[in-house]
Structures are given as structure tokens and as C-alpha cells.
């Protein structure tokens, strides 16, 4: 076989391999910026509640049931069951001595919040940043979030056993600081590998561009420079910045206002939904024919006690 016939065989272009390397580099760079910058900013935002937050009372509404296969898939893919709803009175925020909000606050607010204790609770402590009356977060769940910043995440003693007895979801495991560093080092290692691999491919294109007319070293180096200096900063830094602004708004300013009667509470049981069906009063274990009923205690943490 002559050289001309050999070079005419089907092949994967080095330029295409370069495209794959640079695309993957951009993805890992985005992950690296997320872990180093976004996670740190999120933790600082969460710790603001510890330094600035005022305490009022509110209710956590949570539905831990999977209504059919579609809901189960959505929960698995998008972690919908990691979220519940928080309801509290805006007038309590306005009447607090530390509140600095100048606008008019009345009625109640219902907002979507991340929950680590995945069950409904009543009259629990809610932390609100005075400048942002819509920023309420359950204190228990914030404390669990703060615990996840440390090397080891500690679950409240005896909670998982009680949750099993109540047919409720246990506290999910939260990413620790050790795991965060592992992901940072992993993404950094892949970034270095992909960077040197891309440079190596560009050098190889220089050697073969006289033989293969569809390879160009000038174009390869141009794509490499544009990706490193232009595309990656826009996607990795700009994307994470936009994502954090959306997250910050979700934490501090999101929520639906309503009148006092719009968000119905429960007189002595688990609230499953709000407004639409307004089901309350019995846990799922009760509905399934169990002889046990679980009532919220008067404790501030909203824990449950068994009532026979």
C-alpha cells in the first residue's frame, strides 16, 4: 500500500479530538469554579442568618410521597423531595425591633425552601434577615446546613429511627468539606490533563498539516487560545455568577404573599399541601390503617411524639 493510499484511509481528525478536549476542559473548569467560588459564596450567604437573623415562628409544609412513577423520576433527577414550603407571618417580621425594612409588610408568605429534616413541622423557629423580609429559612435546617460545612455531618440523635417509625424520610446525607475538596482536586486534575493534551494535539497537527489538507495548526492554536481566554471565562465564571444571582434571589426575595387565610395550617397533624387540597390532620401511617397517630409537639423544634 502506497503512502497516498494509506493517508486516504478513514480517520478521526486531530482537530475533532481537540474540540472534544476543549469542550470537556470547559465543563471541568465550570465545575471547579462552582466548587471553589459558588459553594463558598453560598456558605457565606447561609452564615449571614447566624449573624444577622431575627427569630420568628412559622410552619414547614412537606410532602414526602411519590405520586406515581413520573413524580418519582422527577424527584430522583431534580431532587424535588429536598424542598418543602415555609409559611410565616410578615407582620411578625415587621414588628420585630431589629427589622429595618421600610416597605409595608402584612399577611403571610409561602416560599419554597431546602429542607434537611424532611417532614412537616409547626410553630418552629424561622430565621429572617431584617433587610429581606422574604428571606425566611427554618432554623433547624439552616443548622444542618452549617453542620455540613464541617468535616463531619452530625445527624440529630434518634431522628432517623423516629422517621422510620413515622413512615417519613430520614435526614439525607449532606456533602462534607472533605468531599468538597475531593471534587476540587479531581476537577483540577482533569483540567491539567486536558490542557496538556490539547497542547500536545496542536503540536501534532503542526507535524501532519502538510500531509492532511483538512488539518491546520493555525486554526488549532486559534481555537485553543479562544477557548482558554474567551469561552471558558464566559461559561465558567459568567455562568456561575448568573447561577449565584438566581440562587441569592431565590433565598432572599422569593415567595408568594397572601392574606392570613390563604395558607391554611393544621390543627394537630401533618400538612401535605397548601391551598389546593388543604389535607391535614393525619399522617400517612394513619391513612394506611395504622393504629398510631403522630402529633406535633409544642416544642420549638417541631418534633413529633407518638399518640396512641
Amino acid at each position: 500500500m502506497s503512502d497516498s493510499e494509506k493517508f486516504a484511509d478513514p480517520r478521526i481528525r486531530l482537530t475533532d479530538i481537540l474540540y472534544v478536549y476543549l469542550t470537556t476542559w470547559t465543563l471541568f473548569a465550570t465545575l471547579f469554579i462552582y466548587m471553589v467560588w459558588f459553594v463558598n459564596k453560598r456558605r457565606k450567604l447561609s452564615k449571614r442568618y447566624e449573624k444577622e437573623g431575627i427569630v420568628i415562628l412559622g410552619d414547614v409544609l412537606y410532602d414526602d410521597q411519590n405520586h406515581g412513577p413520573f413524580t418519582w423520576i422527577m424527584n430522583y433527577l431534580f431532587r424535588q423531595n429536598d424542598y418543602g414550603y415555609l409559611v410565616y407571618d410578615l407582620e411578625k417580621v415587621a414588628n420585630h425591633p431589629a427589622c429595618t425594612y421600610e416597605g409595608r409588610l402584612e399577611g403571610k408568605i409561602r416560599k419554597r425552601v431546602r429542607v434537611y429534616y424532611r417532614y412537616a413541622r409547626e410553630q418552629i423557629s424561622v430565621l429572617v434577615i431584617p433587610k429581606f423580609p422574604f428571606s425566611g429559612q427554618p432554623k433547624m435546617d439552616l443548622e444542618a446546613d452549617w453542620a455540613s460545612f464541617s468535616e463531619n455531618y452530625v445527624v440529630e440523635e434518634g431522628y432517623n429511627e423516629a422517621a422510620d417509625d413515622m413512615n417519613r424520610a430520614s435526614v439525607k446525607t449532606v456533602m462534607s468539606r472533605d468531599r468538597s475538596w475531593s471534587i476540587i482536586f479531581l476537577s483540577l486534575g482533569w483540567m491539567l490533563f486536558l490542557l496538556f493534551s490539547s497542547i500536545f494535539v496542536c503540536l501534532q497537527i503542526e507535524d501532519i498539516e502538510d500531509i492532511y489538507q483538512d488539518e491546520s495548526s493555525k486554526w488549532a492554536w486559534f481555537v485553543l487560545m479562544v477557548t482558554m481566554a474567551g469561552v471558558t471565562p464566559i461559561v465558567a465564571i459568567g455562568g456561575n455568577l448568573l447561577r449565584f444571582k438566581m440562587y441569592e434571589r431565590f433565598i432572599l426575595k422569593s415567595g408568594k404573599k397572601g392574606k392570613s387565610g390563604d395558607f391554611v395550617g393544621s390543627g394537630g397533624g401533618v400538612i401535605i399541601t397548601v391551598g389546593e387540597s388543604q389535607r391535614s390532620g393525619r399522617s400517612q401511617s394513619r391513612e394506611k390503617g395504622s393504629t398510631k397517630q403522630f402529633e406535633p409537639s409544642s416544642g420549638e423544634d417541631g418534633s413529633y411524639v407518638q399518640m396512641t
Side-chain angles (χ1 to χ4, degrees):
M1 181 182 293
S2 63
D3 290 343
S4 60
E5 292 176 345
K6 181 178 180 181
F7 294 147
D9 290 342
R11 63 185 176 83
I12 299 176
R13 294 196 313 152
L14 289 181
T15 303
D16 293 334
I17 296 176
L18 178 65
Y19 293 157
V20 174
Y21 282 165
L22 293 178
T23 301
T24 311
W25 150 271
T26 302
L27 295 177
F28 274 105
T30 304
L31 176 61
F32 179 79
I33 296 298
Y34 174 85
M35 296 302 301
V36 172
W37 181 81
F38 181 93
V39 172
N40 186 53
K41 292 284 288 184
R42 189 194 73 80
R43 288 173 175 174
K44 288 182 178 179
L45 177 60
S46 180
K47 294 295 284 186
R48 282 188 63 183
Y49 285 87
E50 185 178 25
K51 299 177 181 178
E52 306 176 22
I54 59 177
V55 180
I56 61 172
L57 296 180
D59 300 332
V60 171
L61 317 177
Y62 182 76
D63 182 1
D64 63 354
Q65 303 301 311
N66 291 321
H67 306 288
F70 179 75
T71 305
W72 184 90
I73 293 174
M74 293 295 291
N75 287 339
Y76 182 81
L77 294 178
F78 301 104
R79 311 303 306 177
Q80 296 293 324
N81 52 357
D82 285 348
Y83 293 85
Y85 286 93
L86 175 67
V87 177
Y88 60 92
D89 195 336
L90 289 173
E91 293 182 6
K92 293 181 179 178
V93 180
N95 294 332
H96 196 283
C99 181
T100 58
Y101 186 74
E102 297 181 355
R104 184 178 180 181
L105 297 175
E106 58 182 10
K108 291 191 174 183
I109 180 174
R110 183 185 71 170
K111 65 175 296 177
R112 196 163 181 253
V113 294
R114 173 74 182 272
V115 292
Y116 293 95
Y117 295 90
R118 301 193 297 184
Y119 58 93
R121 289 159 277 164
E122 292 185 336
Q123 293 299 294
I124 64 167
S125 294
V126 176
L127 290 177
V128 182
I129 297 178
K131 294 181 180 179
F132 303 97
F134 291 2
S135 64
Q137 298 289 323
K139 183 179 178 182
M140 288 176 61
D141 301 278
L142 280 175
E143 289 173 345
D145 191 38
W146 300 335
S148 70
F149 301 166
S150 60
E151 294 183 358
N152 298 307
Y153 176 67
V154 180
V155 179
E156 181 180 334
E157 183 178 358
Y159 170 76
N160 286 336
E161 291 77 5
D164 291 337
D165 292 340
M166 294 168 56
N167 193 29
R168 293 281 162 191
S170 300
V171 181
K172 75 183 291 287
T173 302
V174 184
M175 179 184 294
S176 67
R177 185 177 294 274
D178 283 346
R179 187 181 174 190
S180 299
W181 280 111
S182 298
I183 296 176
I184 290 173
F185 287 131
L186 177 65
S187 58
L188 181 60
W190 273 105
M191 287 173 61
L192 293 174
F193 169 77
L194 293 166
L195 174 61
F196 290 124
S197 297
S198 299
I199 294 175
F200 177 77
V201 169
C202 290
L203 294 174
Q204 293 301 303
I205 292 176
E206 288 183 353
D207 293 338
I208 67 170
E209 63 180 341
D210 293 335
I211 301 174
Y212 296 103
Q213 300 300 318
D214 57 352
E215 304 280 13
S216 172
S217 61
K218 290 183 178 180
W219 172 252
W221 286 111
F222 173 77
V223 171
L224 178 65
M225 293 297 105
V226 169
T227 302
M228 298 297 170
V231 176
T232 299
I234 292 175
V235 174
I237 299 177
N240 278 294
L241 179 61
L242 177 62
R243 178 70 184 87
F244 179 75
K245 291 298 182 182
M246 295 171 61
Y247 175 80
E248 187 179 43
R249 185 184 184 282
F250 168 73
I251 294 295
L252 299 179
K253 300 179 181 180
S254 67
K256 179 181 179 181
K257 291 180 63 177
K259 298 179 181 179
S260 297
D262 291 346
F263 307 132
V264 179
S266 168
V270 178
I271 305 174
I272 302 300
T273 55
V274 183
E276 293 83 2
S277 62
Q278 298 178 355
R279 278 193 302 133
S280 63
R282 291 186 179 182
S283 68
Q284 291 298 311
S285 59
R286 180 71 172 178
E287 293 175 1
K288 291 181 180 179
S290 172
T291 58
K292 298 177 181 179
Q293 184 174 5
F294 296 94
E295 303 284 346
S297 70
S298 59
E300 185 181 79
D301 61 352
S303 58
Y304 281 75
V305 295
Q306 180 175 327
M307 305 293 290
T308 57

